[in-house]
Amino acid sequence: MFSFLIKKRFKKMLIIKLIDYYIYPVKNQIKKIALLTSGGDAPGMNASIRSVVRACVFHNIVPVGVYKGYDGLIKGRFEEMNARSVKGIINKGGTILKTARSEKFKLKTGRDEAYNSIKKNNIDGLIVIGGDGTFTGGLIFSEENNFPVIGIPATIDNDIFGTSHTIGFDSATNTVMNAIDKIRDTASSHNRLFFVEVMGRDAGHIALNTGVAGGAEEILIPEENLGLDRLIQSLKRSEKTGKSSSIVVVAEGDKTGENVFHLKEYVEKHLSDYDARVAVLGHMQRGGTPTCFDRVLASRLGVSAVESMISKKDGNMVGLQNNKVVLTPLKKAVKGVTKINKELLKVSDIMSI
Ligand code: ATP
C-alpha cells in the first residue's frame, strides 16, 4: 500500500516536471521571478519567502530576492536565491528580505526607476508579499508597465478582501491572547481594570478575536462606536455581579474615546471604585515565531503564487476561502472592505454577563 502511494506521488511529480519541460517553455516565458516583502512585517513572511523560492526552484525558475520592499526595487537591491538560501527560516518571525515603506514608489518617477532595475536584471514577474498598500503599489506598477505581478496577503490586521486569513493574523492573535492571559493574572490579584490596547487602526479583527478568546468584558473596535455611556454601564454591571477583575480590549483605531489613556481617565472619573491601568501591547504583536496555521497558509499561498504566475494568472492575489486557495483580482482586493464578524460581537456580549 505504502509503496503504491509513493509510486503514485512520484508519477504526479514526474508529470509536473514533464509539463514544466515540454509545455510551459512554449507557453511560458517566465524564467526569473523577483519577490519582496513590503509594509508592516508579519509572522509567517519568512515562511512565504521560503515557499515562493522553493516553488520557483521546483519549476526551474530563478527566484530573485529584493531587499527592503519597493525601495530595494528602485535601488536594484537584488540577489538570486536558491532552495538552500531559505533554510531554517520557516519558524522565524520578521522577514529575511527586510521590509520598508517607500514614499518614492508612490511617484511615477520612482516606479520608472524600479522598472529599469527589473529590466536590467531580466526579471519576468514580481511577487509582492504585504498588505493592501503593497498591493496598490504592485497594481499600479503592473498596469503602467504591463508587467506581471501577483500578491500574497501578509499583514497581522487581517483586513484584506478576498481571503479569510492573511499571513500573520493567527500568530499575532495568539501573541495578544497570551499577553491578555498574563495581564488577567495581575488584574485579578489586585482587583484592577485593565485597558489593553491592541493593533488595528482601521480594522478590529485582532481586538474582537482576542477579546473573545481572552474573556474581555468589553471590546472596542473602529467599526462600531459603542459610546462611553455603554462602557460605563457595562463596567458598573461587572462590579455589581462581583467580578474581581475586568479587561477591556481596545483596538488602536477605536472611536469611543480619544485614545486608550482618555478612556482610563474617563472611567476613573465616573467610577471612582475602579483602579484602572493601561497596557499598550505595541510592536510585540508583530514578533515571535509563526503559528502552525500561518506556516501552512504561507506555504500554500507561496506555491499557488508561483504556479499562478507560470500559468499567466497574474494581476491576482492568492488567498484562502473555505480552506481553499483562490485567486482574487488585485483590483478587487485593494478596493474591497473586510467586514467585522457580527456573530463574534454577539458572543462577546453574552459571555461578559
Ligand atoms: P500593512 O497592512 O502591514 O500596513 P501595507 O502593505 O498596507 O502593509 P503600506 O505602508 O500601506 O503597507 O504600503 C507599503 C508600500 O506600498 C508603501 O510604502 C509604498 O511604497 C507602496 N504603496 C502604497 N500605496 C501606494 C500607492 N498608492 N501607489 C504606489 N505605491 C504605493
Side-chain angles (χ1 to χ4, degrees), residues 61 128 187 226 283:
I61 292 168
V128 295
L226 297 181
H283 285 85

Side-chain angles (χ1 to χ4, degrees), residues 38-40 70 101-102 105-106 111 131-134 136-137 140 155:
S38 159
Y70 290 127
R101 300 190 199 268
S102 166
F105 195 75
K106 291 186 178 170
R111 293 191 296 274
D132 59 349
T134 300
T136 305
I140 298 173
T155 164

Side-chain angles (χ1 to χ4, degrees), residues 38-42 45 69-71 74 99-107 111 129-141 154-160 201 286:
S38 159
D41 61 306
M45 274 185 163
Y70 290 127
D71 196 41
I74 294 170
T99 180
R101 300 190 199 268
S102 166
E103 284 308 308
K104 210 172 167 191
F105 195 75
K106 291 186 178 170
L107 307 172
R111 293 191 296 274
I129 305 167
D132 59 349
T134 300
F135 294 168
T136 305
L139 180 64
I140 298 173
F141 180 77
T155 164
I156 63 167
D157 295 330
N158 207 33
D159 58 348
I160 305 228
R201 257 186 224 120
R286 291 190 183 281

